[in-house]
Amino acid sequence: MAPVTEPHVDLADQRSLLLGQTVGLPRFPGGERPAPESRGRRRLIHGISALAVLATFAYLAWRIAYTIDLSFWWIALPLLALELHNALGLAMFTVALWDVDAGPRVGPRDTTDLRIAVLVPTYDEPQDVILPTIAAAVALEPAHETWVLDDGHRAEVEQLAQELGARYLARSSNEHAKAGNLNNALETVDADIVAVLDADHIARPDFLRHTIGYFDDPDVALVQTPQDFYNLDSFEHQVRGRAKLFNEQWVFYRVIAAGKNRWGGAFWCGTGALVRVAALRSVGGVATGTVTEDIHTTIRLHRRGWKTVYHNEVLARGLAARTAGEYLLQRRRWATGAMQVLRRERPLTGPGLSFGQRLGYATTLWGWFDAWRSLGYILLPVAVIATGAVPINAPLAVFGPLFLSVLAIQFVALRLLARGHYPPILSILFEFLRMPAVLAGTLALVRDRPRAFKVTPKGVSADPHSKGPVPMVTVALLALSGIALVWFVLTTAGLTAQSYGVPGAVYGACVFLLANATLLAASASRVRRLRFARERRAGVRLPVLLVGAVDGARCRLLDLSLTGARVVTADCEVPEQIALSIDLAGTRVTLDTIVRRRLEAAGGRVELGLEFAAGQSVARARLAVALLATNMGRKAPRAAPAARPAPAASPPRRPAVRKRQLAQQPSVR
């Protein structure tokens, strides 16, 4: 065998370097609650943002008064409409993000009078995905019950829940998908507060402690926390330079959602939330009839006068869309749900909502139409090149500097309003990436047909070497851009019957065409990367640098997942099955493993790829809590669960248990 350099550095190890990791367990920085902005910083953001809005509308007033040529109305008016859309979006963004520090603040609570149930709805997620979620939920404090709500009716999931100390509940039908699953649980679970965690979201040990205090206010119905992710090599993550990481959803979850506290418009985002049961029952339970039951339910809560709070601290992390297919399916579902909510609940015009709440919903729902604006900005340069039509009747020497100045201040304002979470090029690239899915989803506004709920896939693809298809919209726009570019070259060379009356306008259109084509090509390339085309691993590998033992011999662990490990040890005869022992967060975990790969390493050592043998749920749960949940926060939970007697599958309701202390051990958690 050819020797390999030790330690071998792959993509996962690059993420460890990115996070500043040199030894020990992986860390996930950036989840802390932001410190309140200084008065000077806030004044800077307010000043530049207000200036950008004023400059934008002054520019548009000039455009409307002096530059519209109605002889080319078919291209001049659509361009003006796109610019007006952009201006309105900037104005709404500015108002919505004027203050991102608003809202109540409460400290951690170790005790509560409230009965808490943590609900984990699941359908077809594999055990490797749901095991760490259940294990971390069971280990939470203060005392609570953990319920696994299985719409997949799987005996193995029931057994897993019982082994880890959770309760299991299935229903006779899967009507209304996740919303129906939660509503069914409300008929059985005896609790004042339910915390909802998606099947792939692993809670920090202090998830409940940091959020339960908000419910001291009897009018608070909902507390939502940000969504964040532990698979940093997902489709939505991108390394920026050498030491920064970008995630497409950060600007929403760390800034936009936080800004909604000022307007009383925070809404449920599906997972990482606590909801008052009495509030849910007052609106007839979790809303059904749309594929985004979370925001749909919140609108009904707001109309009944309930308060909602956004707690801007990452207290749970899940799996981001790992492949292009997952990403596009998820965005289409979200866009479809937003349109269904617009049609059925009319949050902008219907009764019962405050101005601030309408504004909060408007800024979120309006954003889905950005895909149509992006499409328009791609098609307009093609139209100018193809026809020679001039949409702006103004000298280039006047229009050019004015347009570029307004564009520059808009970018600065957006960067400041987004509190640094809006890198322009990457953000536009992801607009192009999600555009095909969002375009299809927004059609539900005019044609809302019944749709089967599709869970974002988790786990390994059946064909790990197949690349994902580029969306047809992207292919068509790339082809159209290429044809337009060829037409431009031929026309400027005098080889077509077309002539350009205002060459400067056409050259400007060609610059935009090339920029759009570059971004379209980059989005197609990202979709086609094998790394993002199909999921090829059963578990997310996390880089570690730990000491352990294989069959008693000292080893170094280089990465860990819930399905296996990569270790380096002294070269020797290695049997096909060995025991791996790991010291994690003050607890020693031993797992039986199967040797799947053996590579010679430098210095007379060998690198082993180990797969954990089937079963071992309790040991893997202890590993999950130590590897994932513990390292998401500063405080470690108590030891992960040992085997317990299995609770009944459909237990009777229990009487309330009041003021359980943090040190107490409840019989069922």
Side-chain angles (χ1 to χ4, degrees), residues 131-132 135-136 164 562 591 616-626 640-641:
L131 183 147
L164 299 184
L562 296 185
L591 293 127
Q616 309 184 91
S617 296
V618 173
R620 291 171 66 211
R622 296 174 64 199
L623 172 64
V625 170

Side-chain angles (χ1 to χ4, degrees), residues 318-506:
L319 289 173
R322 294 180 284 183
T323 70
E326 289 179 16
Y327 176 84
L328 293 171
L329 173 64
Q330 192 177 66
R331 269 48 180 186
R332 178 169 181 174
R333 186 175 75 242
W334 292 350
T336 299
M339 298 305 104
Q340 291 174 331
V341 166
L342 268 175
R343 282 174 60 98
R344 302 181 187 189
E345 290 294 327
R346 298 181 296 113
L348 307 186
T349 60
L353 298 178
S354 68
F355 168 78
Q357 289 166 344
R358 295 185 200 279
L359 175 67
Y361 289 118
T363 54
T364 295
L365 299 173
W366 181 265
W368 291 109
F369 296 103
D370 288 353
W372 292 97
R373 184 188 65 198
S374 298
L375 178 64
Y377 279 136
I378 293 170
L379 293 177
L380 279 172
V382 174
V384 171
I385 290 170
T387 65
V390 181
I392 300 174
N393 185 16
L396 184 61
V398 175
F399 170 75
L402 185 58
F403 170 77
L404 292 176
S405 298
V406 173
L407 184 65
I409 195 171
Q410 287 176 346
F411 271 117
V412 172
L414 285 173
R415 188 68 181 266
L416 288 172
L417 286 167
R419 275 62 176 183
H421 292 296
Y422 184 82
I425 301 302
L426 267 176
S427 298
I428 296 172
L429 173 63
F430 273 88
E431 283 186 21
F432 279 38
L433 279 164
R434 64 178 175 264
M435 179 177 61
V438 175
L439 290 175
T442 52
L443 293 177
L445 182 62
V446 295
R447 191 181 181 187
D448 186 10
R449 294 177 297 178
R451 301 173 186 271
F453 181 83
K454 294 183 179 179
V455 177
T456 305
K458 306 290 190 304
V460 181
S461 168
D463 185 2
H465 302 293
S466 173
K467 296 182 179 180
V470 179
M472 288 303 300
V473 170
T474 304
V475 173
L477 291 174
L478 265 174
L480 193 60
S481 299
I483 293 170
L485 183 60
V486 171
W487 180 260
F488 170 79
V489 172
L490 294 176
T491 301
T492 53
L495 300 178
T496 71
Q498 178 71 49
S499 62
Y500 295 139
V502 185
V506 180

Side-chain angles (χ1 to χ4, degrees), residues 163-239:
E163 289 177 352
L164 299 184
R167 296 190 168 200
Y168 177 89
L169 185 65
R171 54 185 177 137
S172 58
S173 72
N174 292 355
E175 187 179 12
H176 300 307
K178 179 181 176 181
N181 198 358
L182 292 172
N183 285 333
N184 179 70
L186 293 178
E187 298 177 2
T188 301
V189 174
D190 192 12
D192 301 309
I193 305 295
V194 291
V196 181
L197 293 168
D198 279 353
D200 62 341
H201 270 67
I202 302 166
R204 258 175 45 172
D206 47 9
F207 171 69
L208 296 177
R209 296 178 63 250
H210 283 208
T211 51
I212 197 64
Y214 290 102
F215 291 96
D216 288 350
D217 182 344
D219 293 329
V220 169
L222 168 74
V223 177
Q224 177 66 55
T225 66
Q227 290 187 29
D228 207 343
F229 310 98
Y230 62 89
N231 57 329
L232 303 183
D233 58 349
S234 80
F235 186 83
E236 5 180 313
H237 287 88
Q238 177 65 43
V239 178

Side-chain angles (χ1 to χ4, degrees), residues 248-270:
E248 181 212 17
Q249 299 190 58
W250 282 347
V251 70
F252 175 78
Y253 282 112
R254 301 317 305 272
V255 185
I256 296 174
K260 295 182 186 299
N261 274 337
R262 180 176 185 236
W263 306 102
F267 58 77
W268 190 6
C269 299

Side-chain angles (χ1 to χ4, degrees), residues 25-28 130-141 164 202-206 542 560-562 584-587 589 617-633 635-642 644 669:
L25 294 167
R27 296 282 174 175
F28 302 91
I130 62 177
L131 183 147
T133 301
I134 300 171
V138 167
L140 291 173
E141 298 288 0
L164 299 184
I202 302 166
R204 258 175 45 172
D206 47 9
L542 295 172
L560 268 174
S561 72
L562 296 185
L584 287 167
T587 183
V589 181
S617 296
V618 173
R620 291 171 66 211
R622 296 174 64 199
L623 172 64
V625 170
L627 179 63
L628 295 171
T630 301
N631 290 286
M632 292 179 184
K635 181 178 178 180
R638 68 179 193 192
R644 305 180 185 183
R669 307 187 51 211

